[in-house]
């Protein structure tokens, strides 16, 4: 059974499921694989670095009523929501952190993990955009900092790609679209 991963999403699974994604242009697909446990993760990322590791939405909506407040005004008291963490995995740094956390929860060990990178194309050369190149460079930097070895890559160029990843074998199949 195939599990489809859309832009900005991460999936972690074990055999017999495959992880698939398509429409990979300047986006970057990062796969992590633990060959001992046959656990695989795939992230379809879009942007190199998040503004912050976790986007925290803080809503401080508190109110205090004066002793003279009317009963109808008491219904205006609002509960407070503090630091609801939302992980935006369209960013490479956040996605890799989340992949590592989810894989470790399933028993994977960081030292056993292997990474592969796919995408990072320059789809519109007339725009002179370096987003694909920056995605690749930032992923390589992040993986190096995390101690994860990159064992394969299919990056750059000007063609779109689709990806299928088998956690049973660790094989990543890349189809080029042009």
């Amino acid at each position: 059974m195939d599990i489809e991963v859309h832009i900005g999403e991460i999936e972690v699974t074990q055999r017999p499921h495959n992880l698939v994604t398509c429409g990979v242009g300047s986006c970057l697909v990062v796969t992590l694989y633990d060959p001992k446990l046959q656990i695989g993760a795939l992230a379809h990322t879009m942007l190199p670095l998040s503004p912050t590791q976790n986007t925290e939405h803080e809503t401080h909506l508190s109110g205090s009523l004066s002793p003279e407040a009317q009963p109808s005004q008491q219904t205006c008291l609002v509960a407070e929501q503090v630091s609801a963490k939302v992980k935006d995995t369209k960013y490479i740094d956040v996605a890799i952190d989340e992949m590592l956390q989810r894989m470790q929860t399933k028993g994977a060990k960081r030292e056993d993990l292997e990474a592969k990178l796919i995408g990072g194309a320059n789809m519109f050369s007339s725009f002179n955009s370096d987003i694909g190149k920056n995605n690749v460079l930032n992923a390589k930097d992040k993986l190096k900092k995390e101690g994860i070895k990159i064992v394969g890559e299919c990056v750059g160029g000007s063609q779109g790609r689709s990806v299928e990843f088998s956690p049973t074998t660790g094989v990543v199949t890349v189809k080029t679209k042009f």
Side-chain angles (χ1 to χ4, degrees):
M1 181 177 135
D2 290 344
I3 300 171
E4 191 169 344
V5 183
H6 298 102
I7 293 174
E9 293 181 346
I10 292 172
E11 289 291 337
V12 178
T13 193
Q14 291 176 283
R15 60 186 165 99
H17 304 291
N18 290 327
L19 299 169
V20 297
T21 192
C22 60
V24 182
S26 61
C27 291
L28 188 69
V29 168
V30 178
T31 67
L32 294 180
Y33 179 59
D34 181 327
K36 291 179 181 177
L37 299 177
Q38 295 180 322
I39 299 171
L42 186 146
H44 188 153
T45 64
M46 199 168 126
L47 297 167
L49 294 172
S50 64
T52 59
Q53 277 289 339
N54 292 322
T55 305
E56 292 187 20
H57 297 286
E58 294 187 22
T59 311
H60 297 284
L61 300 174
S62 56
S64 60
L65 295 176
S66 65
E68 303 84 34
Q70 300 298 318
S72 63
Q73 291 174 309
Q74 291 178 359
T75 59
C76 294
L77 284 176
V78 180
E80 189 174 283
Q81 177 187 11
V82 180
S83 297
K85 291 188 178 187
V86 177
K87 294 180 179 165
D88 195 347
T89 55
K90 72 181 173 203
Y91 296 102
I92 290 167
D93 56 339
V94 177
I96 290 172
D97 287 341
E98 182 68 11
M99 292 167 78
L100 289 170
Q101 188 273 323
R102 289 187 194 180
M103 289 188 76
Q104 289 172 331
T105 298
K106 291 186 175 283
K109 293 185 170 84
R110 187 179 298 247
E111 60 270 14
D112 295 334
L113 299 180
E114 304 172 344
K116 293 180 182 173
L117 305 176
I118 303 96
N122 183 357
M123 298 301 292
F124 307 103
S125 58
S126 61
F127 289 131
N128 206 14
S129 171
D130 285 335
I131 188 81
K133 181 178 175 182
N134 289 337
N135 282 341
V136 173
L137 292 174
N138 281 288
K140 287 181 177 184
D141 286 346
K142 176 67 174 171
L143 290 166
K144 183 178 180 179
K145 286 178 191 171
E146 297 296 334
I148 309 296
K149 61 185 174 263
I150 299 170
V151 297
E153 62 181 60
C154 179
V155 297
S158 59
Q159 298 166 332
R161 298 168 170 98
S162 61
V163 178
E164 181 178 316
F165 174 37
S166 168
T168 303
T169 63
V171 172
V172 175
T173 304
V174 179
K175 293 180 183 174
T176 305
K177 309 274 185 167
F178 60 98

